[in-house]
Amino acid sequence: QVQLVESGGGLVQAGGSLRLSCAASGSILSINAMGWYRQAPGKQRELVAAITSGGSTNYADSVKGRFTISRDNAKNTVYLQMNSLKPEDTAVYYCNIDLYYRDYWGQGTQVTVSS
Protein backbone atom coordinates (compact mmCIF):
# COMPACT_ATOMS: atom_id res chain seq x y z
CA GLN A 1 0.00 0.00 0.00
CA VAL A 2 1.11 3.53 -0.81
CA GLN A 3 0.03 6.71 0.91
CA LEU A 4 0.43 10.29 -0.27
CA VAL A 5 0.23 13.17 2.19
CA GLU A 6 -0.11 16.67 0.79
CA SER A 7 0.46 19.91 2.65
CA GLY A 8 0.96 23.60 2.03
CA GLY A 9 -2.35 24.77 0.62
CA GLY A 10 -4.22 27.75 1.96
CA LEU A 11 -5.52 31.23 1.31
CA VAL A 12 -3.24 33.84 -0.21
CA GLN A 13 -3.66 37.22 -1.87
CA ALA A 14 -3.00 37.67 -5.55
CA GLY A 15 0.72 38.05 -6.18
CA GLY A 16 1.59 35.90 -3.20
CA SER A 17 3.33 32.55 -2.96
CA LEU A 18 2.66 29.09 -1.64
CA ARG A 19 4.68 25.90 -1.57
CA LEU A 20 2.95 22.55 -1.81
CA SER A 21 4.53 19.31 -0.64
CA CYS A 22 3.52 15.72 -1.26
CA ALA A 23 5.27 12.91 0.61
CA ALA A 24 4.84 9.31 -0.48
CA SER A 25 5.26 6.37 1.88
CA GLY A 26 4.62 2.65 1.93
CA SER A 27 5.59 -0.07 -0.53
CA ILE A 28 7.69 2.03 -2.90
CA LEU A 29 10.61 0.59 -4.82
CA SER A 30 11.03 3.22 -7.48
CA ILE A 31 9.11 6.29 -8.60
CA ASN A 32 8.89 7.25 -12.25
CA ALA A 33 7.18 10.56 -12.81
CA MET A 34 5.67 12.82 -10.14
CA GLY A 35 3.19 15.54 -10.85
CA TRP A 36 0.68 18.08 -9.68
CA TYR A 37 -2.82 18.48 -11.06
CA ARG A 38 -5.58 20.85 -10.15
CA GLN A 39 -9.33 20.99 -10.42
CA ALA A 40 -11.36 24.15 -10.16
CA PRO A 41 -15.12 24.08 -9.51
CA GLY A 42 -17.01 23.06 -12.62
CA LYS A 43 -13.84 22.27 -14.54
CA GLN A 44 -11.94 19.13 -15.42
CA ARG A 45 -8.79 18.14 -13.62
CA GLU A 46 -5.73 19.44 -15.48
CA LEU A 47 -2.02 18.87 -15.35
CA VAL A 48 -0.13 21.72 -13.72
CA ALA A 49 3.43 20.38 -13.71
CA ALA A 50 5.30 17.10 -13.87
CA ILE A 51 8.84 15.91 -13.30
CA THR A 52 10.43 12.67 -14.49
CA SER A 53 12.82 10.46 -12.58
CA GLY A 54 15.62 12.10 -14.54
CA GLY A 55 14.55 15.57 -13.55
CA SER A 56 12.92 16.70 -16.81
CA THR A 57 9.97 18.99 -16.22
CA ASN A 58 6.95 20.22 -18.09
CA TYR A 59 4.38 22.82 -17.19
CA ALA A 60 0.97 23.96 -18.23
CA ASP A 61 1.26 27.13 -20.30
CA SER A 62 -0.79 29.03 -17.72
CA VAL A 63 1.82 28.50 -14.99
CA LYS A 64 5.09 28.67 -16.91
CA GLY A 65 7.48 31.15 -15.35
CA ARG A 66 5.50 31.27 -12.11
CA PHE A 67 5.48 27.70 -10.77
CA THR A 68 8.43 25.38 -10.19
CA ILE A 69 8.21 21.65 -9.58
CA SER A 70 10.98 19.75 -7.84
CA ARG A 71 11.49 16.40 -6.16
CA ASP A 72 13.57 14.88 -3.39
CA ASN A 73 14.08 11.24 -4.31
CA ALA A 74 15.57 10.36 -0.93
CA LYS A 75 12.36 11.53 0.74
CA ASN A 76 9.94 10.37 -1.99
CA THR A 77 8.59 13.91 -1.97
CA VAL A 78 7.51 16.28 -4.70
CA TYR A 79 7.14 20.04 -4.29
CA LEU A 80 5.38 22.79 -6.15
CA GLN A 81 6.60 26.32 -5.57
CA MET A 82 3.90 28.71 -6.71
CA ASN A 83 4.76 32.40 -7.13
CA SER A 84 2.83 35.36 -8.49
CA LEU A 85 -0.40 33.57 -7.77
CA LYS A 86 -3.54 34.68 -9.56
CA PRO A 87 -7.21 34.23 -8.67
CA GLU A 88 -7.52 31.81 -11.59
CA ASP A 89 -5.06 29.51 -9.82
CA THR A 90 -7.75 28.81 -7.23
CA ALA A 91 -8.42 25.06 -7.21
CA VAL A 92 -7.91 21.84 -5.34
CA TYR A 93 -4.39 20.66 -6.09
CA TYR A 94 -3.62 16.93 -6.26
CA CYS A 95 -0.27 15.22 -6.40
CA ASN A 96 0.24 12.11 -8.47
CA ILE A 97 3.06 9.58 -8.49
CA ASP A 98 3.74 6.96 -11.13
CA LEU A 99 5.27 3.75 -9.80
CA TYR A 100 5.54 2.23 -13.30
CA TYR A 101 2.91 -0.45 -12.58
CA ARG A 102 0.24 2.01 -11.45
CA ASP A 103 -0.17 5.54 -10.21
CA TYR A 104 -1.47 7.01 -6.97
CA TRP A 105 -3.26 10.25 -6.04
CA GLY A 106 -3.10 12.45 -3.01
CA GLN A 107 -6.22 13.58 -1.19
CA GLY A 108 -6.00 17.11 -2.52
CA THR A 109 -5.22 20.43 -0.91
CA GLN A 110 -7.20 23.63 -1.43
CA VAL A 111 -5.46 26.69 -2.82
CA THR A 112 -7.48 29.89 -2.79
CA VAL A 113 -6.15 33.12 -4.26
CA SER A 114 -8.07 36.27 -3.42
CA SER A 115 -8.06 39.33 -5.66
Side-chain angles (χ1 to χ4, degrees):
Q1 192 71 313
V2 175
Q3 298 82 37
L4 302 183
V5 178
E6 301 173 8
S7 60
L11 173 64
V12 64
Q13 289 188 332
S17 298
L18 285 173
R19 188 190 194 211
L20 305 182
S21 299
C22 175
S25 62
S27 302
I28 299 171
L29 293 179
S30 180
I31 301 177
N32 186 15
M34 307 178 84
W36 289 95
Y37 292 71
R38 67 186 180 187
Q39 187 167 19
K43 295 188 177 181
Q44 289 188 329
R45 190 172 297 189
E46 63 175 357
L47 175 67
V48 176
I51 184 168
T52 68
S53 57
S56 296
T57 59
N58 68 287
Y59 297 91
D61 288 343
S62 59
V63 306
K64 283 180 181 177
R66 300 188 296 122
F67 291 11
T68 302
I69 190 170
S70 61
R71 61 191 284 173
D72 184 332
N73 292 326
K75 297 181 179 180
N76 290 336
T77 300
V78 60
Y79 305 97
L80 186 67
Q81 178 66 43
M82 305 185 293
N83 299 328
S84 302
L85 282 161
K86 303 176 180 180
E88 50 264 44
D89 294 318
T90 295
V92 177
Y93 284 69
Y94 299 89
C95 67
N96 175 276
I97 66 167
D98 173 11
L99 300 187
Y100 295 96
Y101 62 93
R102 65 160 287 181
D103 64 341
Y104 290 85
W105 292 91
Q107 79 283 0
T109 185
Q110 177 70 45
V111 171
T112 303
V113 185
S114 63
S115 56

